[in-house]
Amino acid sequence: MSLINLSAYELNDAIRKKEVSVLDIAEAYLQRIEKVEDKINAFITFDRDLFLSRAKEIDGYIKEGNEVFDFTGIPIAIKDNICTKDIRTTCASKILANYISVYDATVIKKLNRQHFLMVGKANMDEFAMGSSNENSAFGPVRNPWNLDCVPGGSSGGPAASVAAMEAVCSLGSDTGGSIRQPASLCGIVGIKPTYGMVSRYGLVAFASSLDQIGPLSKNVRDCAALLEIISGYDECDSTSIKADIPKYTSFLNSDIKGMKIGVPKELMVREIDSEVRDLIYKVLRMLEKSGALIEEVSLPNLEYALSVYYIIAPSEASSNLSRFDGVRYGYRNMESATLREMYKKTRAEGFGAEVKRRIMIGTYCLSSGYYDAYYEKAQKVRTLIINDFKKAFSNYDVLISPTSPTTAFKIGDKADDPLMMYLSDICTIPVNLAGIPAISLPAGISKNNLPVGIQVIGDILREDNILKIAGAIERDVKWKISPKI
Ligand code: GLN
């Protein structure tokens, strides 16, 4: 079996037993990247020499008899909104095209302590705004299952790189679904952890009350193991929570007999493709056979989640993105006569259309006279949504829904229709608004050979429950990654 087919834990085992060197692994991945990357475009920055020299360095570290950790020498792709010292962090935007951070994000520091092997900086929708990875100043990413289709977004690069076997796992960010939806469309696993469980220090902010970093991988175990490494309190992030980090991998083989699963009827609405819905019900029946109790449940305020999100997220974005003014970071228009003109031209030239749209919506919602009608009202409805989840979790261990209403759609199909694009996230957005954890994993394959993802949602800090159910689903579905590329 080729090295690129192995999971992180299999590679780790082989490294520990000295059956392979990290350089062997890097060379296998390099060969793969050189073969498929032209078609996929999963990376914004990939430095071949750095990749190989880092692999040799890690081999040296192992040879000296140092500890081999779970992710020592494991090739991991990093979404390009996570700061890496000395390697540019573009957010897939022209405005940050040459931006080099002076520090590593906390998640990178944690992975560096493990001596991981960074593959490169993965492509994404500009500033993580989008559901198709078409909003990148560095070109769209293609879905490894069908090159005419989108990989989902905004973590399209992190998802496609794993599905195309250009990386073993990756880190993405999820504000409204950006880890789970691309994981679903690319046939892999992705976790959006409880808000505050993973430090956001060094993640370029989109909507700070929603953003969370999380792992993507080919199987649930790698995802759980990677989550364990990146989790934990960080004094550099004021929203970080002081909670013990459970041994996430220990939950995967649990007996799920007697666990209670709710199926929110508001997430099984008419926008969901019938094929997607059928596969979700098929998985639910398997879980029932394993002894889980399944009931339909109503969370009435989920109906408003999309509207609430598209007020809160753009509002926070308009504030967060005000720092990109041509003075403090990145691109600057050099032909302006006045400071005001420089601001205007820098932002007009530096930001893409979707980012500008969000900044305008957000600025409008926050402006005096509209703040109460939009922003404040949205915050109130957000509380109602949180309460709906609280109530549901007093009765159920987890909630289950599709991750995305459809399988991967064609590049260009929704690019001119923002509202259609926004609908891609109807099942994932409520989770971010409530700050709770959720996982997406493969539920099966559609008739036209595209992956369908299932979402398992847990209460705050109940990653254990979602991993128990995800473990059971993975055993039942017996998914094999087999994209054509
Ligand atoms: N697709 C959603 C948006 O465009 C979510 C993005 C995300 O989670 N970063 O805002």
Side-chain angles (χ1 to χ4, degrees):
M1 199 179 197
S2 155
L3 287 176
I4 58 166
N5 291 315
L6 301 182
S7 59
Y9 63 85
E10 287 164 333
L11 281 176
N12 181 251
D13 195 45
I15 294 172
R16 281 180 202 271
K17 290 184 181 141
K18 306 220 165 12
E19 291 164 1
V20 292
S21 69
V22 177
L23 188 60
D24 294 334
I25 299 172
E27 280 170 347
Y29 271 94
L30 184 60
Q31 213 179 25
R32 176 70 180 169
I33 290 167
E34 284 175 345
K35 185 166 166 235
V36 302
E37 176 58 9
D38 275 357
K39 295 179 198 135
I40 304 287
N41 197 29
F43 290 99
I44 291 175
T45 304
F46 171 70
D47 181 336
R48 182 183 185 279
D49 296 337
L50 184 67
F51 183 55
L52 292 177
S53 69
R54 181 83 187 112
K56 284 182 204 157
E57 241 175 75
I58 302 171
D59 275 333
Y61 160 88
I62 297 172
K63 263 205 198 97
E64 282 165 18
N66 293 306
E67 183 174 356
V68 176
F69 301 94
D70 287 354
F71 287 91
T72 302
I74 303 296
I76 302 179
I78 304 295
K79 188 175 182 180
D80 210 16
N81 58 352
I82 297 174
C83 287
T84 45
K85 192 168 177 274
D86 303 330
I87 299 163
R88 68 175 177 163
T89 300
T90 70
C91 285
S93 181
K94 208 175 141 190
I95 215 160
L96 288 178
N98 299 310
Y99 171 68
I100 297 180
S101 163
V102 292
Y103 67 97
D104 276 325
T106 297
V107 291
I108 299 296
K109 283 202 194 111
K110 289 186 174 229
L111 282 174
N112 273 336
R113 259 177 246 142
Q114 296 249 321
H115 299 266
F116 87 119
L117 178 60
M118 183 164 95
V119 183
K121 301 298 291 287
N123 207 340
M124 54 185 280
D125 283 299
E126 186 178 3
F127 286 102
M129 298 173 193
S131 310
S132 67
N133 217 125
E134 290 165 291
N135 305 333
S136 164
F138 296 83
V141 177
R142 291 175 184 273
N143 191 315
W145 293 80
N146 180 338
L147 295 175
D148 294 330
C149 290
V150 304
S154 64
S155 309
S161 62
V162 172
M165 294 186 277
E166 296 179 88
V168 183
C169 349
S170 58
L171 291 187
S173 66
D174 192 314
T175 304
S178 279
I179 289 175
R180 291 158 287 155
Q181 185 257 12
S184 167
L185 270 46
C186 288
I188 62 168
V189 184
I191 300 178
K192 197 294 275 183
T194 298
Y195 184 77
M197 198 58 205
V198 177
S199 167
R200 293 183 299 119
Y201 183 67
L203 170 71
V204 180
F206 162 13
S208 311
S209 76
L210 303 158
D211 299 340
Q212 230 359 230
I213 296 175
L216 297 98
S217 70
K218 287 183 264 199
N219 60 64
V220 180
R221 178 160 162 191
D222 283 357
C223 230
L226 190 50
L227 179 60
E228 222 166 279
I229 304 304
I230 60 172
S231 294
Y233 176 71
D234 178 12
E235 61 179 15
C236 295
D237 175 357
S238 61
T239 61
S240 177
I241 43 179
K242 283 188 177 143
D244 290 337
I245 308 170
K247 183 117 189 73
Y248 291 123
T249 45
S250 71
F251 303 117
L252 308 181
N253 293 318
S254 311
D255 186 358
I256 62 156
K257 196 155 180 252
M259 282 184 78
K260 289 186 76 184
I261 300 175
V263 183
K265 69 169 195 238
E266 291 76 10
L267 300 182
M268 281 291 189
V269 283
R270 72 188 138 80
E271 284 85 1
I272 312 289
D273 260 14
S274 59
E275 212 181 345
V276 171
R277 184 177 317 171
D278 290 348
L279 272 169
I280 303 301
Y281 281 123
K282 190 172 158 197
V283 173
L284 287 170
R285 282 195 297 275
M286 294 183 196
L287 292 171
E288 205 161 29
K289 273 206 189 114
S290 307
L293 308 166
I294 297 170
E295 273 169 21
E296 189 181 81
V297 53
S298 175
L299 287 80
N301 294 295
L302 292 197
E303 193 190 325
Y304 309 112
L306 205 61
S307 315
V308 167
Y309 174 86
Y310 277 100
I311 292 171
I312 292 179
S315 297
E316 293 183 13
S318 75
S319 161
N320 275 327
L321 270 59
S322 64
R323 73 192 68 179
F324 304 108
D325 57 3
V327 178
R328 286 170 288 183
Y329 299 90
Y331 176 77
R332 172 189 298 179
N333 173 287
M334 299 300 271
E335 276 109 47
S336 310
T338 64
L339 182 63
R340 177 172 274 266
E341 191 186 332
M342 191 279 287
Y343 284 153
K344 270 178 151 171
K345 287 198 171 150
T346 295
R347 288 167 68 85
E349 291 161 9
F351 289 135
E354 183 61 28
V355 174
K356 286 180 192 161
R357 182 180 294 123
R358 305 279 178 112
I359 292 173
M360 285 188 278
I361 297 173
T363 308
Y364 179 82
C365 293
L366 292 177
S367 55
S368 98
Y370 296 103
Y371 181 95
D372 306 356
Y374 295 106
Y375 185 71
E376 201 180 286
K377 185 67 154 260
Q379 292 291 15
K380 288 179 179 162
V381 182
R382 182 178 186 171
T383 302
L384 297 178
I385 292 169
I386 293 171
N387 290 343
D388 275 1
F389 276 113
K390 270 192 194 145
K391 200 168 150 211
F393 286 120
S394 65
N395 283 324
Y396 300 97
D397 297 304
V398 298
L399 302 174
I400 282 187
S401 76
T403 306
S404 159
T406 64
T407 54
F409 43 93
K410 289 261 162 68
I411 294 179
D413 259 12
K414 300 186 186 177
D416 299 325
D417 189 345
L419 288 182
M420 275 303 286
M421 190 70 89
Y422 296 170
L423 275 175
S424 308
D425 303 305
I426 42 170
C427 297
T428 49
I429 274 175
V431 168
N432 300 72
L433 290 171
I436 53 186
I439 188 169
S440 174
L441 75 160
I445 192 102
S446 74
K447 283 188 208 81
N448 48 6
N449 202 41
L450 288 168
V452 172
I454 184 166
Q455 175 173 240
V456 186
I457 307 170
D459 199 0
I460 294 207
L461 293 175
R462 295 316 299 267
E463 275 84 355
D464 57 340
N465 282 338
I466 63 174
L467 289 168
K468 283 178 192 169
I469 297 292
I473 295 175
E474 192 175 50
R475 283 193 296 281
D476 282 339
V477 172
K478 296 186 184 61
W479 181 252
K480 271 268 165 279
I481 280 211
S482 54
K484 271 192 233 127
I485 190 163

